[in-house]
Amino acid sequence: MQVGKGRDVSLNQISKFEAKVANGNSEQTLSRDIYHLGRQFDFFRMLSCYFTTIGFYFSSLMSIIGIYVFLYGQLYLVLSGLEKALIIEARLQNIQSLETALASQSFIQLGLLTGLPMVMEIGLEKGFLNALKDFVLMQLQLASVFFTFSFGTKIHYYGRTILHGGAKYRPTGRKVVVFHASFTENYRLYSRSHFVKGFELLLLLTVYDLFRRSYQSNMAYVLITYSIWFMSITWLFAPFLFNPSGFSWEKIVDDWKDWNKWIRQQGGIGVQQDKSWQSWWIDEQAHLRRSGMASRVFEILLSVRFFLYQYGLVYHLDISQNSRNFLVYLLSWIVILAVFLIVKAVNLGRQQFSARYHLVFRLFKAFLFLGVLSVILALYFVCKLSWKDILVCSLAFFPTGWGLILFAQAVRPLIENTGLWEFTRVLAKTYDYGMGVALFAPIAVFSWLPILSAFQTRFLFNEAFNRHLQIQPILAGKKKNR
């Protein structure tokens, strides 16, 4: 009889383990022990200590921060017109160094240099042909997708624990995992660590693409951003790709019912976070309760980036008529306030009329819709509002609302006993439901493709178990016919 230690085999178990280790490394980063060791070691032993303890997590955090700085910097260049002026000047002087530099940089971004040591090591042990086969097999088994997703888990929990503390033990349960994790469970685990960041990166890439088309070639844009597109899409959809039966239509229907029940269920004392969105949302902010003033101020400063993003976009609306007056930015906040009042009105109407006066509530929503539509049509005919303006406003105002939620969470002790906190909860619930629908829609579409479900089963399980899963529906159909 041989007994071995259980290992984490599902993505959710591995993510919990990675979060636990990242929390521990962030606490080590803040500890006096690392400080004293670094001061007493010579230079080479200090480097050895760094790379064998907290170095990987710190460098990973710097890499992600670099991506955000790069994207927001690119957005500043394109919205300010500076990038356009630089590219036009380079074309006038027939300078092609930019495309040459991007081509060489894109080769590095493929990860070929980081994968080279592994290929060399396997090549020395088994031969270079076997090493090449193993490398290709790893890519076919979506190793890059798994590594990129785990990368996001590490940096989220490492960075958050550095700011607010809160390292804790996370039980993973090392059982054999062949069951389907619900959409609600995946959303609870990865909403703040991956999904929110993935949507933010997608918005930045979309806005950058929207405003650079008039002067920049598509090849340059692809060379600059393809690795970030890969990372953002991986952060959004990897949990469902590595989820057994993630594209089974029966499971999708059950997940949708469970998701709506979880969103609508009221929270409170004794209600677990897997039963109610409200309980989960309150528990998700537990790290802010023990935060000091400096950490809260830093969270507020981080949320300011969404307001600067909005500031850069509103001046590119056709309705602004190329005005640089600060009044344009103030008017954009009035529009946001009007949208918030509409959301608040719908929520109050649901509380007052949805249970007993269902028809009245439907008429109330219809009047609100017609009112908003009439305002948009009036702006279209009178102020020359274009369809591009509506798209740009949507891209500008969605992140602003999320920034206001983050701001309200940071100053929760000041507004918790006011109506602003209740409105923040309603707004956060609306955003979470919208993000959930945006994630759920492509999964539901892909579930109609049987080949995708078969491919997922093939790379998740070994051949014998995969054959059993393929035969099982046939046997079940025969029993049903009998």
Side-chain angles (χ1 to χ4, degrees):
M1 180 181 293
Q2 183 178 358
V3 179
K5 185 176 184 292
R7 300 294 179 186
D8 302 311
V9 292
S10 75
L11 183 65
N12 292 352
Q13 290 177 344
I14 295 171
S15 296
K16 290 178 181 179
F17 175 77
E18 294 286 0
K20 181 168 54 178
V21 177
N23 285 339
N25 276 271
S26 60
E27 294 289 357
Q28 289 184 45
T29 306
L30 301 175
S31 68
R32 297 178 180 178
D33 303 291
I34 292 292
Y35 170 76
H36 290 310
L37 286 174
R39 289 292 300 272
Q40 298 299 323
F41 280 151
D42 58 72
F43 180 74
F44 297 102
R45 285 191 174 90
M46 182 185 67
L47 288 181
S48 177
C49 176
Y50 172 78
F51 283 107
T52 54
T53 53
I54 63 172
F56 171 73
Y57 290 88
F58 186 77
S59 60
S60 300
L61 180 63
M62 290 298 102
S63 299
I64 299 299
I65 291 176
I67 290 175
Y68 274 87
V69 172
F70 170 76
L71 269 184
Y72 277 99
Q74 287 290 121
L75 199 63
Y76 166 75
L77 290 176
V78 72
L79 293 179
S80 64
L82 184 59
E83 185 181 55
K84 182 178 181 180
L86 291 174
I87 290 180
I88 292 176
E89 181 67 22
R91 287 176 181 172
L92 292 175
Q93 299 184 14
N94 197 23
I95 299 175
Q96 302 293 332
S97 57
L98 177 62
E99 283 76 8
T100 305
L102 290 175
S104 59
Q105 170 189 291
S106 63
F107 180 78
I108 298 175
Q109 286 179 341
L110 281 171
L112 298 180
L113 291 183
T114 54
L116 187 60
M118 178 192 67
V119 175
M120 295 296 295
E121 181 179 355
I122 299 176
L124 292 174
E125 295 177 355
K126 301 180 181 179
F128 288 100
L129 183 59
N130 290 328
L132 184 61
K133 289 180 181 178
D134 289 347
F135 182 76
V136 173
L137 183 61
M138 287 179 187
Q139 305 313 311
L140 293 177
Q141 292 175 338
L142 305 182
S144 299
V145 175
F146 176 80
F147 171 78
T148 305
F149 189 83
S150 299
F151 195 73
T153 305
K154 295 181 181 75
I155 61 101
H156 171 77
Y157 288 100
Y158 180 76
R160 192 174 76 174
T161 309
I162 283 181
L163 272 181
H164 307 288
K168 62 180 180 180
Y169 177 76
R170 300 174 185 270
T172 58
R174 299 185 182 96
K175 54 187 175 182
V176 178
V177 179
V178 293
F179 59 85
H180 173 80
S182 67
F183 180 85
T184 304
E185 181 182 354
N186 284 329
Y187 190 86
R188 286 191 296 107
L189 286 176
Y190 306 119
S191 172
R192 299 305 184 257
S193 60
H194 294 82
F195 296 158
V196 170
K197 296 180 177 64
F199 278 120
E200 181 182 356
L201 292 177
L202 280 183
L203 279 176
L204 293 175
L205 291 169
T206 303
V207 172
Y208 178 47
D209 181 43
L210 190 64
F211 288 99
R212 61 91 205 164
R213 288 177 175 269
S214 61
Y215 58 86
Q216 190 184 64
S217 65
N218 291 329
M219 182 56 66
Y221 174 77
V222 170
L223 292 176
I224 290 173
T225 61
Y226 74 89
S227 58
I228 306 177
W229 276 103
F230 175 77
M231 185 178 72
S232 58
I233 293 174
T234 297
W235 283 0
L236 290 175
F237 296 106
F240 313 107
L241 192 59
F242 290 107
N243 186 17
S245 303
F247 298 100
S248 172
W249 179 250
E250 293 80 8
K251 300 292 185 181
I252 292 294
V253 174
D254 294 339
D255 285 351
W256 176 250
K257 295 177 181 178
D258 181 64
W259 162 257
N260 283 278
K261 181 181 178 181
W262 179 72
I263 283 287
R264 293 187 172 89
Q265 182 70 34
Q266 291 293 325
I269 299 175
V271 180
Q272 299 296 322
Q273 58 172 313
D274 59 338
K275 301 297 182 182
S276 167
W277 172 88
Q278 185 176 351
S279 299
W280 167 79
W281 185 65
I282 294 173
D283 187 71
E284 193 66 26
Q285 304 169 47
H287 62 281
L288 291 172
R289 297 174 190 164
R290 49 184 172 268
S291 295
M293 181 60 67
S295 299
R296 292 180 182 272
V297 170
F298 193 79
E299 285 284 347
I300 293 173
L301 292 177
L302 287 178
S303 64
V304 170
R305 72 183 187 272
F306 297 110
F307 310 140
L308 297 177
Y309 164 87
Q310 173 203 350
Y311 178 81
L313 282 183
V314 294
Y315 287 100
H316 286 267
L317 299 174
D318 295 334
I319 196 174
S320 66
Q321 299 177 356
N322 296 322
S323 174
R324 293 295 179 264
N325 196 328
F326 190 72
L327 184 62
V328 175
Y329 186 58
L330 292 180
L331 288 175
S332 69
W333 278 102
I334 294 176
V335 174
I336 293 175
L337 180 62
V339 173
F340 287 169
L341 290 177
I342 292 174
V343 173
K344 184 65 176 178
V346 172
N347 184 61
L348 288 176
R350 182 180 291 108
Q351 294 176 358
Q352 297 293 329
F353 304 117
S354 63
R356 301 179 59 183
Y357 306 100
H358 194 64
L359 181 60
V360 176
F361 180 57
R362 285 180 175 271
L363 290 174
F364 175 69
K365 290 195 296 183
F367 281 127
L368 277 180
F369 174 76
L370 292 176
V372 172
L373 184 61
S374 61
V375 170
I376 293 176
L377 291 176
L379 291 174
Y380 177 77
F381 289 108
V382 177
C383 302
K384 307 300 180 183
L385 180 71
S386 64
W387 294 110
K388 180 183 176 182
D389 287 349
I390 298 177
L391 175 61
V392 173
C393 285
S394 301
L395 294 174
F397 295 159
F398 283 138
T400 302
W402 187 255
L404 290 174
I405 293 173
L406 297 180
F407 180 85
Q409 290 176 354
V411 297
R412 178 180 177 178
L414 301 178
I415 65 171
E416 190 170 10
N417 297 323
T418 66
L420 289 175
W421 182 248
E422 177 63 22
F423 177 72
T424 302
R425 186 186 65 80
V426 173
L427 188 62
K429 185 176 183 179
T430 304
Y431 267 81
D432 278 319
Y433 187 78
M435 287 190 290
V437 171
L439 289 170
F440 203 93
I443 299 171
V445 172
F446 287 140
S447 66
W448 284 85
L449 303 175
I451 187 173
L452 190 59
S453 180
F455 170 74
Q456 183 195 36
T457 304
R458 182 65 187 89
F459 83 80
L460 279 182
F461 304 112
N462 61 44
E463 188 173 353
F465 189 77
N466 177 38
R467 192 182 304 113
H468 171 71
L469 290 178
Q470 291 176 348
I471 295 175
Q472 190 175 11
I474 301 175
L475 298 178
K478 289 182 178 180
K479 291 180 181 180
K480 186 177 181 180
N481 293 331
R482 289 178 182 177

